[in-house]
Amino acid sequence: MISDNLYLQIKEDLVSCDRVQMLTLAAFGLERLWRMFEDWTKTEGDPLLYQKPNSFRQRMRDILDHIWEQIESGQEINPYEKEFNDFCNFVNASFDENDGQDVDMGTGTPLIDEMFSGAVCFFSEREARSYASSCIVSYAGYLSELLYDCFYDECKKSVSGQEISPGERAKLLDAKIDAAIAEHPLWKEEIERIKHDFAIVKKESNHFKSLCERKVEIQRMNYITEADLT
């Protein structure tokens, strides 16, 4: 999918960044998901969820704030690994293991998922670029899934009559959907935001106040839901 290609491209682009710059970009990516997550914490949650969503809010915010403390101090490894692990354990204990795949955390899902994947880059140097890239493109990945569903039926009709194998048809369908997503204004806007973040980090990496100003801008950005595309 188009988001996979973006992930690989960002991973390569991170080669030109030092570790703190890379972590700053990853933090921007996580903050892009904060408003979505925060709105979810104001809901009633899912019947299979033992905890109320609002019990997740401060725990998550504390982790993100610790990440910014790490960036401000220029630390290679975040010293709050216990708090990070405690949050992950809290999430896992919030629903029955057998029901995990059925628990709907709504717009809180992308940020929660990233805590179990990309956020590892702050606590370990192992595969740091891979994990940081995951954080950076996390919202783009969420957006691509919405747009994929939006374009699926239309693109499927365009390939259904072609005399090719099922495998070739599936590849052609995915290619057509990716091409449609690539031209969509929402996708282009997100790509430009990521480029802008790179430019800011390269220019202002030694000016923490400027990075915080960008963080606040990102937190205030609107996010798209399925309802916005119908």
Side-chain angles (χ1 to χ4, degrees):
M1 288 180 63
I2 191 170
S3 58
D4 296 328
N5 294 332
L6 178 62
Y7 162 81
L8 293 173
Q9 181 60 58
I10 294 300
K11 184 179 175 182
E12 289 302 312
D13 292 343
L14 288 174
V15 172
S16 65
C17 298
D18 62 32
R19 179 166 171 79
V20 175
Q21 289 174 334
M22 178 187 69
L23 294 180
T24 304
L25 288 163
F28 282 159
L30 296 180
E31 292 292 354
R32 185 75 175 94
L33 307 174
W34 168 252
R35 188 171 176 183
M36 300 170 59
F37 174 83
E38 186 180 35
D39 284 350
W40 169 72
T41 65
K42 299 172 184 177
T43 69
E44 287 299 311
D46 183 274
L48 296 175
L49 193 63
Y50 300 154
Q51 305 287 341
K52 286 291 186 181
N54 62 17
S55 66
F56 289 70
R57 187 186 308 143
Q58 191 57 51
R59 294 170 184 265
M60 179 70 85
R61 190 62 250 172
D62 287 345
I63 291 173
L64 296 178
D65 289 344
H66 290 326
I67 284 172
W68 285 104
E69 291 171 13
Q70 176 187 3
I71 292 169
E72 182 178 19
S73 62
Q75 290 176 293
E76 295 283 311
I77 302 296
N78 193 299
Y80 291 94
E81 186 173 9
K82 181 182 183 301
E83 287 80 356
F84 174 73
N85 290 333
D86 285 347
F87 174 77
C88 292
N89 291 333
F90 171 78
V91 174
N92 285 329
S94 296
F95 46 79
D96 186 87
E97 181 180 354
N98 296 324
D99 293 332
Q101 62 184 5
D102 299 317
V103 176
D104 183 7
M105 293 186 175
T107 57
T109 301
L111 185 51
I112 291 174
D113 284 351
E114 215 55 45
M115 288 295 110
F116 288 89
S117 53
V120 174
C121 67
F122 297 96
F123 302 91
S124 171
E125 293 186 20
R126 182 173 59 87
E127 298 184 36
R129 280 197 297 123
S130 297
Y131 290 125
S133 181
S134 177
C135 292
I136 293 166
V137 305
S138 53
Y139 179 77
Y142 161 80
L143 183 60
S144 71
E145 290 179 1
L146 294 182
L147 292 173
Y148 186 95
D149 292 340
C150 182
F151 287 120
Y152 181 82
D153 289 340
E154 177 185 344
C155 291
K156 185 177 181 180
K157 289 179 182 178
S158 70
V159 303
S160 60
Q162 299 191 33
E163 295 182 1
I164 53 179
S165 69
E168 290 174 329
R169 184 176 293 109
K171 290 181 180 179
L172 180 58
L173 174 59
D174 284 343
K176 283 184 172 291
I177 295 175
D178 279 354
I181 293 173
E183 293 302 316
H184 196 282
L186 292 174
W187 178 261
K188 289 183 175 181
E189 287 173 6
E190 183 60 17
I191 298 303
E192 288 303 312
R193 275 190 285 265
I194 293 174
K195 291 180 180 178
H196 185 53
D197 288 345
F198 266 85
I200 288 177
V201 166
K202 288 294 184 69
K203 181 181 179 182
E204 305 288 355
S205 58
N206 295 321
H207 299 87
F208 187 69
K209 181 179 179 181
S210 296
L211 300 179
C212 287
E213 289 173 354
R214 178 57 178 167
K215 176 187 72 172
V216 172
E217 289 177 2
I218 291 172
Q219 289 175 340
R220 292 174 177 171
M221 290 178 181
N222 292 325
Y223 62 90
I224 302 300
T225 66
E226 186 177 355
D228 296 318
L229 299 174
T230 58

